């Protein structure tokens, strides 16, 4: 089941179907939009109430494909329901709530994963191989630049709202960079986070 009707939700639905999963439902904020997208994609169930959809559809896996600040509650509810969760980034907006979801998932014995497509780009994979082979020595610093030149014709949304721009920017772009970084130096980064 998919939460989100935009390009991410539609992309997640296509991706799940491509690996043989059945998409049983889709949830969105606007009744007419979720109905239209579900019909267009031949998804049998559409609605605006996430908890009701969990009850009605009984999914094994859910996909959270909503804007960055709207992930925590649906993920928490899906875990409580016993669903495996695939979420667009970021999982939550704080380390504390991310750890809370981790502990809840562990207690419920469900798997969680989040989308970080940049980590699998050829240039990122090549850089990871250079680090792993020692070809460039031991890295001590990295600089990441992404999304600094947004397309002019994207639909009006978070990137056009000055008041919320930085928080949205953090939630939408920063996780890509952090996840790439973790791909290079995962052990050292995790050790540093724990203070060891």
């Amino acid at each position: 089941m998919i939460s989100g009707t935009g390009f991410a939700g539609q992309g997640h639905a296509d991706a799940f179907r491509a690996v043989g999963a059945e998409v049983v439902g889709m949830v969105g904020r606007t009744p007419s939009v979720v109905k239209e997208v579900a019909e267009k994609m031949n998804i049998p169930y559409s609605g605006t109430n996430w908890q009701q959809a969990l009850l009605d559809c009984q999914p094994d896996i859910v996909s959270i494909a909503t804007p960055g600040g709207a992930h925590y509650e649906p993920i928490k509810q899906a875990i409580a329901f016993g669903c495996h969760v695939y979420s667009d980034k970021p999982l939550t907006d704080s380390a504390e709530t991310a750890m809370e979801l981790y502990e809840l998932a562990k207690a419920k014995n469900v798997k969680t994963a989040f989308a970080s497509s940049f980590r699998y780009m050829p240039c990122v994979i090549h850089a990871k191989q250079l680090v792993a082979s020692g070809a460039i020595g031991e890295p001590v610093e990295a600089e990441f630049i992404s999304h600094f030149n947004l397309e002019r014709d994207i639909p009006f949304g978070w990137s056009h709202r000055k008041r919320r721009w930085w928080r949205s920017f953090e939630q939408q772009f920063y996780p890509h960079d952090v996840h790439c970084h973790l791909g290079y130096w995962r052990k050292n980064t995790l050790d540093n986070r724990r203070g060891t």
Side-chain angles (χ1 to χ4, degrees):
M1 186 168 67
I2 311 291
S3 173
T5 59
F7 73 92
Q10 293 176 51
H12 287 199
D14 286 340
F16 273 106
R17 283 178 167 163
V19 295
E22 178 187 1
V23 179
V24 296
M26 179 175 268
V27 174
R29 289 179 297 178
T30 309
S32 60
V33 172
V34 70
K35 184 176 188 298
E36 177 185 331
V37 173
E39 285 176 359
K40 177 182 83 172
M41 298 191 75
N42 293 318
I43 297 172
Y45 178 96
S46 65
T48 58
N49 184 316
W50 178 244
Q51 288 181 301
Q52 187 62 51
L54 289 170
L55 289 168
D56 292 345
C57 294
Q58 301 283 311
D60 297 316
I61 303 169
V62 300
S63 173
I64 309 297
T66 54
H71 295 172
Y72 170 74
E73 284 298 333
I75 292 172
K76 187 174 179 180
Q77 292 163 0
I79 290 171
F81 198 78
C83 299
H84 301 293
V85 177
Y86 178 76
S87 176
D88 210 347
K89 51 73 187 147
L91 213 53
T92 71
D93 63 0
S94 75
E96 292 77 21
T97 52
M99 287 303 295
E100 177 192 355
L101 293 180
Y102 167 76
E103 294 297 339
L104 290 171
K106 198 163 79 169
K108 283 295 243 180
N109 197 29
V110 297
K111 296 178 183 178
T112 61
F114 81 98
S116 188
S117 53
F118 286 12
R119 185 167 176 178
Y120 305 101
M121 292 170 61
C123 60
V124 173
I125 291 170
H126 179 65
K128 181 178 179 177
Q129 291 167 342
L130 291 174
V131 171
S133 71
I136 61 172
E138 180 68 26
V140 294
E141 185 176 332
E143 182 175 320
F144 296 89
I145 300 171
S146 66
H147 292 81
F148 60 90
N149 200 6
L150 294 172
E151 290 183 38
R152 282 162 47 145
D153 298 327
I154 61 174
F156 182 82
W158 66 265
S159 59
H160 299 95
R161 294 186 184 111
K162 184 177 179 182
R163 170 170 64 89
R164 296 185 58 210
W165 187 84
W166 178 249
R167 188 66 175 153
S168 297
F169 181 82
E170 267 185 325
Q171 290 178 349
Q172 296 297 335
F173 299 147
Y174 189 59
H176 284 295
D177 297 338
V178 169
H179 206 243
C180 288
H181 173 77
L182 289 174
Y184 302 138
W185 302 288
R186 186 173 185 85
K187 182 180 184 307
N188 291 338
T189 301
L190 291 176
D191 287 349
N192 288 339
R193 186 193 65 157
R194 294 184 181 126
T196 59

